[in-house]
Amino acid sequence: MKPFRIFITFLLVLFTFISFVPEAWAFCGFYVAKADSKLYNKASQVVLARDGDRTVLTMANDYQGAVKDFALVVPVPVVLQKDQVHVGDPKIIERLDAFSAPRLVEYFDENPCDGEAPGNREAGATRGGWEPPSFSASDEKTLGVTVEAKFTVGEYDILILSAKESDGLQTWLQRNGYKIPQGANQLLQPYIRQKMKFFVAKINLKEFEKTGSQFLRPLMMAYESPKFMLPIRLGMINSTSEQDLIVYLLSPKGQAEITNYRMVNIPSDTEIPVFVKNDFGNFYKSMFQTSYVKEDKKVAFLEYAWDMQSCDPCSAEPLNSEELRKAGVFWVERNSPNNVFITRMHIRYSRDKFPEDLMFQETSSRKSFQGRYIMHHAFTGEANCQAAQEYKRSLPKRFEQEAQNLAKLTGWNIGDIRKKLPVVASGDSSPWWRKIWP
Amino acid sequence: MLGEARDYQILFLSLFLVLGIGTRDWTLRPSMIIVAIATCLVTQWAATSFWPIFQQNIRNFFAKPESCSYPQDATKPITPLQPSYRSALITSLGLSLLLRVDNYTTMMIAGMLAILSKFVFQVERKHFFNPANFGIISVLVLTKDAWVSPGQWGEDWWYGLLFAGTGGLVLKRVGRWDTTAAFLGSYALLEAIRNVYLGWTWDVYWHRLMSGSLLLFALFMITDPRSIPNARTGRLIWAAGIAILTFILRNYFFVSTAVFWALFAIAPLSVLADFIWSAPKFSWVKATKSAENNISQPELSPN
C-alpha cells in the first residue's frame, strides 16, 4: 500500500503546483487593429453553420483568373436541388472575418504619482452568355456519369453529378468544357466509392454581367448529412505548396473542434512593444508562421471562439440576426436573441502534412478564446515623486521583456527589435556615488 | 519498488496527464482531474462499505421464509469487501484523459456511475462493463455538456511509441496483450481494406491509425482484465468484435467516439464469452504474485 500512497501524494502535489487559467477577462483594453484574412494572398474562406445534421456551407470565392475559365468541383454528401443552393452576400464573410480576427489592444499607463497601479482601466470597446455545352446521353452512359440535377443560381450554372468511376467522370468534365487538372481522377475515386455526389459550378456569363460586379459571390448550399467534413484533398491536386484556409464554424451548441488533427490555440494575451501598432499585419503573419513551423505544420489553429452575442474588445460589431441568417444560421429567428457560438479555425495545409480531409465535431464547450495582443504605452507626462522614480526604473526591464516576447513569437531579430524600443529618459538625478553605497 | 501491475498503470496514466497538460496545450483542467479522482475514490469507498449490506437487504426482501429454496442466502453473514482504491484511481485517470466536460457535476456523475457500474453490472462477482467507458458513455447520453476529443493527441510518432512501450509493459505484467493485438490488428486490417477499396494513398491510412486516442483506448481501456473474457479464444473474438463495430460506426455512421460506443455495446457479451469458453477468472493479486513468485491466490472482489 505504501507505493500507492506515494502516488496519491505525488499527484496531489503536482496538481496544486499547476496554475489555474483565469476564466474571464476583467478588462480587455482599447481595440487598435485586427489581423484579418486579407493578410494572406490566397486564403480560402468557408462558413459551416451546423445544428444536428443540418448544415449550411458557404464558400467564399476568391477566384482571380478569367471568369469564363472558372470551374468548381466539390464533393457533397447528398444530391442538392435548386432551392438548396443560394448565392450569398460577400459582405457577410467580411463581417464574420472582421468580428473574429485576432486583435491588437492597447493600454495607457496612469501617472505613477496618482497612486494607481499602471494599466488598470475599464475596457474601451469600440462599440453570362455561357450556354452549358450540350452532351449526349450516350456519353453519360459510357462514362458512367449521371446528371442528378441541373440548374442556374445567380451567376452560376450548376450540375450535381454522380459517377460510377473516376476516369469516366474526369473525361466527362473535360469533354463538357470544365478545366480539370490531369491526375484528378485518382482523387475523385475515393469520393465516388463513398457514394458522394459532385457539385460542379461554372459561370453563366449572361447572368454574371447582370450582377454588374467584378467579383464572384459566395456559393451557399444547405443539406442534411451526418458527415461534418470539408474536402481539402481535391484542392491539392498537382500542388505541394501550403494553402491557407479559414473556417468559421457556427453552432448553437458550443465550440466546434477538428477530430482528425490536433487543434492548437494561437499564442495569445502576450505583451508586445508599442511599435508593433504600425505593423500589426506583419507581426501576425510572422507569428502565425513561427507557430505553424513550431507545431511541425500539422495542426489546425484556433483563432477565435466566442458566443456571438458579445465581444470584448470588439474588432467589429456583433452580427445581428439578419446578418447571421445571411451567413447561413438557419436556427436564429429574425429579431430574436442569437444563440450562436463561433469557432474560427485557421488551417495552413499542404499535401504531405494534411493527407486526410478535415473532419469536425460540435462540442458543448462554451469556453471563450481570442487571439489578443497587448501594448502598454508608458506614461510620458511630468511626474515628480518617489513612485515615478520607481516607475521609470522599472520601464527598461519591461520593454526588454516585451522585446523578448516579440522575438519569441515572431522569430524576428532581437537586436532589430531593441533598436525600435522607446528610450527611457533617466529621471534619476541623485549623485552617482549613492548607487555604490546605498 | 512498485507493488503490482496496476501501480504501473497508475504511473503511466499520470505521466500522460502531466504530458498532456505540459505539452499539448489541452483543455485539461487540473481542478477537473482532482474532482474525477476524488469522486471515484469516495464512490469506491462508499460502494464497498454499503453494497454488501444493500445486497443482503435485497436478498432478505425477496426471500420467502416458507419456501426452502435457498434459506442460507438470506441468513448468510455479510462478507465485507476490500475497497480497491487502485482500480478507482485508474478509472478516474482514464476519465480525466479521455472525457471533456464543461461542469464539475458532469465529471462527478461520470465518476460515480463508472464506479457503481462495477457493483451493479456483475455476473459471478465479475463486472462486465469497463468502468471508465461506462462513465463516459453515461454522461454522453445523460448530460448535454460532455464530449470526447479524438484529435487531442495528434499523431506524433513518439507519442505512439511511448503509449505502445508503456502499454506493452503493463500488458506483459498483466498478461492480456492478446486483447490489444486482436483489437488493433482487426481494426488496422479493416481500415487497410477500406483504404485500398476507396483508393486513398497510404498516408491517409497511417494518419487514420496513428491517433493517440485510439492507442490509449487499445492499450489502457480495452485491456482491463477484470471486464474482459477470461479465456484467450473468447478474448480474441470479443476484441475483434469491438474492432468491427468501431469500424462500422466510424466509417458508416460518422461517429467520432466510435471506439467507446463499440466497447460499451460489446462489453456485456464477455459474460457470454465466459460461458462458452470457460477459463479461470482473472485476479490482480494472482497476476502480481505470479509475475513475481509464480504463486497463485484467488481474490474475491468486484474491483
Side-chain angles (χ1 to χ4, degrees), chain A residues 90-141:
Chain A
K91 285 197 177 68
I92 284 301
I93 298 188
E94 281 177 30
R95 287 279 287 117
L96 281 172
D97 182 13
F99 176 78
S100 59
R103 60 217 55 203
L104 180 66
V105 300
E106 64 186 350
Y107 292 97
F108 293 86
D109 285 358
E110 300 285 346
N111 182 338
C113 298
D114 292 350
E116 240 192 68
N120 242 359
R121 257 178 190 256
E122 277 305 300
T126 53
R127 291 269 159 215
W130 177 83
E131 287 299 319
S134 56
F135 49 87
S136 65
S138 66
D139 250 9
E140 272 187 61
K141 205 170 268 181

Coordinates of all heavy atoms in Angstrom, one line a residue, chain A residues 90-141:
Chain A
P90 N -21.1 38.6 -50.3 CA -19.7 38.6 -49.9 C -19.4 39.4 -48.6 O -18.5 39.1 -47.9 CB -18.9 39.1 -51.1 CG -20.0 39.8 -51.9 CD -21.3 39.2 -51.6
K91 N -20.2 40.4 -48.4 CA -20.0 41.3 -47.2 C -20.2 40.5 -45.9 O -19.6 40.8 -44.9 CB -21.0 42.4 -47.2 CG -20.7 43.5 -48.2 CD -21.4 44.8 -47.9 CE -21.0 45.9 -48.8 NZ -21.5 45.6 -50.2
I92 N -21.0 39.4 -45.9 CA -21.2 38.7 -44.7 C -19.9 38.0 -44.3 O -19.6 37.9 -43.1 CB -22.4 37.6 -44.9 CG1 -23.7 38.4 -44.9 CG2 -22.4 36.5 -43.9 CD1 -24.0 39.1 -43.6
I93 N -19.2 37.4 -45.2 CA -18.0 36.8 -44.8 C -17.0 37.8 -44.3 O -16.2 37.5 -43.4 CB -17.4 36.0 -46.0 CG1 -18.4 34.9 -46.4 CG2 -16.1 35.3 -45.7 CD1 -18.1 33.9 -47.4
E94 N -17.0 39.0 -44.9 CA -16.1 40.0 -44.4 C -16.5 40.4 -43.0 O -15.6 40.6 -42.1 CB -16.2 41.3 -45.3 CG -15.4 41.2 -46.6 CD -15.6 42.4 -47.5 OE1 -15.9 43.5 -46.9 OE2 -15.5 42.3 -48.7
R95 N -17.8 40.4 -42.7 CA -18.2 40.7 -41.4 C -17.8 39.7 -40.4 O -17.3 40.0 -39.3 CB -19.8 40.8 -41.3 CG -20.3 42.1 -42.0 CD -20.2 43.3 -41.1 NE -21.2 43.3 -40.0 CZ -20.9 43.2 -38.7 NH1 -19.7 43.2 -38.3 NH2 -21.9 43.2 -37.8
L96 N -17.9 38.4 -40.7 CA -17.5 37.3 -39.9 C -16.0 37.4 -39.6 O -15.5 37.2 -38.5 CB -17.8 35.9 -40.5 CG -19.3 35.5 -40.4 CD1 -19.4 34.2 -41.2 CD2 -19.6 35.1 -38.9
D97 N -15.3 37.7 -40.7 CA -13.8 37.8 -40.6 C -13.4 38.9 -39.7 O -12.6 38.7 -38.7 CB -13.3 38.1 -42.0 CG -11.8 38.1 -42.1 OD1 -11.1 37.7 -41.1 OD2 -11.3 38.6 -43.1
A98 N -14.0 40.1 -39.9 CA -13.7 41.2 -39.0 C -14.1 41.0 -37.5 O -13.3 41.3 -36.6 CB -14.4 42.5 -39.5
F99 N -15.2 40.3 -37.3 CA -15.7 40.1 -36.0 C -14.7 39.1 -35.2 O -14.5 39.3 -34.0 CB -17.1 39.5 -36.0 CG -17.6 39.1 -34.7 CD1 -18.1 40.1 -33.8 CD2 -17.7 37.8 -34.2 CE1 -18.6 39.8 -32.6 CE2 -18.2 37.5 -33.0 CZ -18.7 38.4 -32.2
S100 N -14.2 38.2 -35.9 CA -13.4 37.1 -35.2 C -11.9 37.2 -35.4 O -11.2 36.3 -34.9 CB -13.9 35.7 -35.8 OG -13.7 35.7 -37.2
A101 N -11.4 38.2 -36.1 CA -10.0 38.3 -36.4 C -9.2 38.5 -35.1 O -9.6 39.2 -34.2 CB -9.7 39.5 -37.4
P102 N -7.9 38.0 -35.1 CA -7.0 38.3 -33.9 C -6.8 39.8 -33.8 O -6.8 40.5 -34.8 CB -5.7 37.6 -34.4 CG -6.2 36.5 -35.3 CD -7.3 37.1 -36.0
R103 N -6.7 40.3 -32.6 CA -6.8 41.7 -32.4 C -5.6 42.3 -31.5 O -5.1 41.6 -30.7 CB -8.1 42.1 -31.8 CG -8.4 41.5 -30.4 CD -9.8 41.0 -30.2 NE -10.3 40.2 -31.3 CZ -11.6 40.1 -31.6 NH1 -12.5 40.7 -30.9 NH2 -12.0 39.3 -32.5
L104 N -5.3 43.5 -31.8 CA -4.3 44.2 -31.0 C -5.0 45.2 -30.1 O -5.9 45.9 -30.6 CB -3.4 45.0 -32.0 CG -2.2 45.8 -31.3 CD1 -1.2 44.9 -30.6 CD2 -1.5 46.6 -32.4
V105 N -4.7 45.2 -28.8 CA -5.3 46.2 -27.9 C -4.2 47.0 -27.2 O -3.1 46.6 -27.1 CB -6.2 45.5 -26.9 CG1 -7.3 44.7 -27.5 CG2 -5.4 44.6 -25.9
E106 N -4.6 48.2 -26.7 CA -3.6 49.0 -26.0 C -4.1 49.5 -24.7 O -5.3 49.7 -24.5 CB -3.2 50.1 -26.9 CG -4.2 51.1 -27.3 CD -3.8 52.2 -28.3 OE1 -2.6 52.2 -28.6 OE2 -4.6 52.9 -28.8
Y107 N -3.2 49.7 -23.8 CA -3.5 50.3 -22.5 C -2.6 51.5 -22.4 O -1.5 51.5 -22.9 CB -3.2 49.4 -21.4 CG -4.1 48.2 -21.3 CD1 -3.7 47.0 -21.8 CD2 -5.3 48.3 -20.6 CE1 -4.6 45.9 -21.7 CE2 -6.1 47.2 -20.5 CZ -5.8 46.0 -21.0 OH -6.6 44.9 -20.9
F108 N -3.0 52.5 -21.6 CA -2.1 53.7 -21.3 C -1.9 53.7 -19.8 O -2.8 53.7 -19.0 CB -2.8 54.9 -21.7 CG -3.0 55.0 -23.2 CD1 -4.1 54.5 -23.9 CD2 -2.0 55.6 -24.0 CE1 -4.2 54.5 -25.2 CE2 -2.2 55.7 -25.4 CZ -3.3 55.1 -26.0
D109 N -0.6 53.7 -19.5 CA -0.2 53.7 -18.1 C -0.7 55.0 -17.5 O -0.6 56.1 -18.1 CB 1.3 53.6 -17.9 CG 1.8 52.2 -18.1 OD1 0.9 51.3 -18.4 OD2 3.0 52.0 -18.1
E110 N -1.2 55.0 -16.2 CA -1.6 56.1 -15.5 C -0.3 56.9 -15.0 O 0.8 56.4 -15.0 CB -2.3 55.7 -14.2 CG -3.6 54.9 -14.5 CD -4.7 55.8 -15.0 OE1 -4.6 57.1 -14.9 OE2 -5.7 55.3 -15.5
N111 N -0.5 58.1 -14.6 CA 0.5 58.9 -13.9 C 0.9 58.1 -12.7 O 0.0 57.9 -11.8 CB 0.0 60.3 -13.6 CG 1.1 61.1 -13.0 OD1 2.1 60.6 -12.4 ND2 1.0 62.4 -13.1
P112 N 2.2 57.7 -12.5 CA 2.5 56.9 -11.3 C 2.3 57.6 -10.0 O 2.2 57.0 -9.0 CB 4.0 56.5 -11.6 CG 4.5 57.5 -12.6 CD 3.3 57.9 -13.4
C113 N 2.2 59.0 -10.1 CA 2.1 59.7 -8.9 C 0.6 59.7 -8.4 O 0.3 60.2 -7.3 CB 2.5 61.2 -9.1 SG 4.3 61.2 -9.4
D114 N -0.3 59.3 -9.3 CA -1.7 59.2 -8.9 C -2.0 58.1 -7.9 O -3.2 57.9 -7.5 CB -2.6 59.1 -10.1 CG -2.6 60.4 -10.9 OD1 -2.0 61.4 -10.4 OD2 -3.1 60.5 -12.0
G115 N -1.0 57.2 -7.7 CA -1.2 56.2 -6.7 C -2.1 55.0 -7.3 O -2.6 54.2 -6.5
E116 N -2.2 54.9 -8.6 CA -2.9 53.8 -9.1 C -2.0 52.9 -9.8 O -1.0 53.3 -10.4 CB -3.9 54.4 -10.2 CG -5.3 54.1 -9.9 CD -6.2 54.3 -11.0 OE1 -6.1 53.6 -12.0 OE2 -7.0 55.3 -11.0
A117 N -2.3 51.6 -9.7 CA -1.4 50.7 -10.4 C -1.5 50.9 -11.9 O -2.6 51.1 -12.4 CB -1.9 49.3 -10.1
P118 N -0.4 50.8 -12.7 CA -0.5 51.0 -14.1 C -1.4 50.0 -14.8 O -1.4 48.8 -14.4 CB 1.0 50.9 -14.6 CG 1.7 50.4 -13.4 CD 0.9 50.5 -12.2
G119 N -2.0 50.5 -15.8 CA -2.7 49.5 -16.7 C -4.1 49.1 -16.2 O -4.8 48.3 -16.8
N120 N -4.5 49.6 -15.0 CA -5.8 49.2 -14.5 C -6.9 50.1 -15.1 O -7.2 51.2 -14.5 CB -5.9 49.3 -13.0 CG -6.1 47.9 -12.5 OD1 -6.2 47.0 -13.2 ND2 -6.1 47.8 -11.1
R121 N -7.5 49.8 -16.1 CA -8.5 50.6 -16.8 C -9.7 49.8 -17.2 O -9.6 48.6 -17.4 CB -7.9 51.2 -18.0 CG -7.5 52.7 -17.9 CD -7.0 53.1 -19.2 NE -6.3 54.4 -19.0 CZ -6.9 55.5 -19.4 NH1 -8.1 55.5 -19.9 NH2 -6.3 56.7 -19.2
E122 N -10.8 50.5 -17.3 CA -12.0 49.8 -17.8 C -11.8 49.5 -19.3 O -11.1 50.2 -20.0 CB -13.2 50.7 -17.6 CG -13.8 50.6 -16.2 CD -14.2 49.2 -15.9 OE1 -15.0 48.6 -16.6 OE2 -13.6 48.7 -14.9
A123 N -12.5 48.5 -19.8 CA -12.4 48.2 -21.2 C -13.0 49.3 -22.0 O -14.0 49.9 -21.7 CB -13.2 46.9 -21.5
G124 N -12.3 49.6 -23.1 CA -12.9 50.7 -24.0 C -13.3 50.0 -25.3 O -12.6 50.1 -26.3
A125 N -14.3 49.3 -25.3 CA -14.7 48.5 -26.5 C -15.3 49.5 -27.6 O -16.2 50.2 -27.2 CB -15.7 47.5 -26.1
T126 N -14.8 49.5 -28.7 CA -15.4 50.2 -29.8 C -16.6 49.5 -30.3 O -16.7 48.3 -30.4 CB -14.4 50.2 -31.0 OG1 -14.0 48.9 -31.3 CG2 -13.2 51.1 -30.8
R127 N -17.3 50.4 -29.6 CA -18.6 49.7 -30.0 C -18.9 49.8 -31.5 O -18.6 50.9 -32.1 CB -19.7 50.1 -29.1 CG -19.6 49.6 -27.7 CD -20.3 48.2 -27.5 NE -19.8 47.7 -26.3 CZ -19.6 46.4 -26.1 NH1 -19.8 45.6 -27.0 NH2 -19.1 46.0 -25.0
G128 N -23.9 35.5 -67.5 CA -23.0 35.4 -68.7 C -23.6 34.8 -69.9 O -24.6 34.0 -69.9
G129 N -23.1 35.0 -70.8 CA -23.7 34.5 -72.0 C -23.3 33.0 -72.3 O -23.4 32.5 -73.4
W130 N -22.8 32.4 -71.2 CA -22.3 31.0 -71.4 C -23.5 30.0 -71.5 O -24.4 30.1 -70.6 CB -21.4 30.6 -70.3 CG -20.9 29.2 -70.3 CD1 -19.8 28.8 -71.1 CD2 -21.4 28.1 -69.6 NE1 -19.6 27.4 -70.9 CE2 -20.6 27.0 -70.0 CE3 -22.4 27.9 -68.7 CZ2 -20.8 25.7 -69.5 CZ3 -22.6 26.6 -68.2 CH2 -21.8 25.6 -68.6
E131 N -23.5 29.2 -72.4 CA -24.6 28.2 -72.5 C -23.9 26.9 -72.1 O -22.8 26.6 -72.6 CB -25.1 28.0 -73.9 CG -25.9 29.2 -74.4 CD -27.2 29.3 -73.5 OE1 -27.8 28.3 -73.2 OE2 -27.5 30.5 -73.1
P132 N -24.5 26.1 -71.2 CA -23.9 24.8 -70.9 C -23.7 24.0 -72.1 O -24.6 23.9 -72.9 CB -24.9 24.2 -69.9 CG -26.0 25.1 -69.8 CD -25.8 26.3 -70.6
P133 N -22.5 23.5 -72.3 CA -22.3 22.6 -73.5 C -23.2 21.5 -73.5 O -23.5 20.9 -72.5 CB -20.8 22.2 -73.4 CG -20.3 22.6 -72.1 CD -21.3 23.5 -71.4
S134 N -23.7 21.2 -74.7 CA -24.6 20.0 -74.8 C -23.8 18.8 -74.7 O -22.7 18.7 -75.2 CB -25.4 20.1 -76.1 OG -24.5 20.1 -77.2
F135 N -24.4 17.8 -74.1 CA -23.7 16.5 -74.1 C -24.8 15.4 -74.4 O -25.9 15.6 -74.2 CB -23.1 16.2 -72.7 CG -24.1 16.5 -71.6 CD1 -25.0 15.5 -71.1 CD2 -24.2 17.7 -71.0 CE1 -25.9 15.7 -70.1 CE2 -25.1 18.0 -70.0 CZ -26.0 17.0 -69.6
S136 N -24.3 14.4 -75.0 CA -25.2 13.3 -75.4 C -25.4 12.3 -74.4 O -24.6 12.1 -73.5 CB -24.6 12.7 -76.7 OG -23.5 12.0 -76.3
A137 N -26.6 11.7 -74.4 CA -26.9 10.7 -73.4 C -26.0 9.5 -73.5 O -25.7 8.8 -72.5 CB -28.4 10.2 -73.7
S138 N -25.5 9.2 -74.7 CA -24.6 8.1 -74.9 C -23.3 8.3 -74.1 O -22.7 7.4 -73.5 CB -24.3 7.8 -76.4 OG -23.6 8.9 -76.9
D139 N -22.9 9.6 -74.1 CA -21.7 10.0 -73.4 C -21.9 9.6 -71.9 O -21.0 9.0 -71.3 CB -21.6 11.5 -73.4 CG -20.4 11.9 -74.2 OD1 -19.8 11.1 -74.9 OD2 -20.0 13.1 -74.2
E140 N -23.0 10.0 -71.4 CA -23.3 9.7 -70.0 C -23.2 8.2 -69.7 O -22.6 7.8 -68.7 CB -24.7 10.1 -69.7 CG -24.8 11.6 -69.2 CD -26.2 11.9 -68.7 OE1 -26.6 11.2 -67.8 OE2 -26.8 12.7 -69.3
K141 N -23.9 7.4 -70.6 CA -24.0 6.0 -70.3 C -22.6 5.3 -70.4 O -22.2 4.6 -69.5 CB -24.9 5.4 -71.4 CG -25.5 4.1 -70.9 CD -26.6 3.6 -71.9 CE -27.9 4.1 -71.5 NZ -29.0 3.7 -72.4

